[in-house]
Amino acid sequence: SGQLLFDWQLLETLTQKENVKLRAVHLIDTAYGGEKYRKSAVRAQRLFAGWFQEQAFEGRPCPVRSFLTAKEFEKWSTK
């Protein structure tokens, strides 16, 4: 996951320079499930989620969800 640096840079550019308002963020990375990186990935995701709450659409909470695979995201999104 690179501790979400690329993801943060992309969303920071979109929200600060392009004035995009976020409704939700969905992250997909196989590293979120690995034992070796689980604690640091969870910590990074919590910090990441907190950072973008101020840029949320109409001041509503901006949910940040993570998935191990695109297939898992697809399954979740079709519920």
Side-chain angles (χ1 to χ4, degrees):
S1 73
Q3 301 303 321
L4 301 171
L5 177 60
F6 172 79
D7 311 72
W8 178 82
Q9 289 173 330
L10 175 64
L11 289 180
E12 183 73 2
T13 298
L14 290 173
T15 58
Q16 297 300 310
K17 293 184 179 177
E18 302 297 329
N19 203 30
V20 171
K21 298 295 182 188
L22 303 176
R23 292 180 187 224
V25 176
H26 300 99
L27 305 166
I28 301 172
D29 195 322
T30 57
Y32 301 146
E35 287 295 321
K36 185 176 180 181
Y37 300 109
R38 186 180 319 249
K39 284 185 181 181
S40 63
V42 168
R43 182 175 181 272
Q45 287 178 46
R46 286 183 180 149
L47 292 170
F48 182 89
W51 186 265
F52 289 103
Q53 291 310 305
E54 290 182 17
Q55 290 88 1
F57 182 74
E58 295 181 354
R60 297 179 186 166
C62 177
V64 176
R65 298 178 179 94
S66 60
F67 302 89
L68 294 176
T69 65
K71 190 87 167 159
E72 284 186 10
F73 171 70
E74 181 180 18
K75 183 178 176 183
W76 174 84
S77 67
T78 58
K79 286 183 183 183

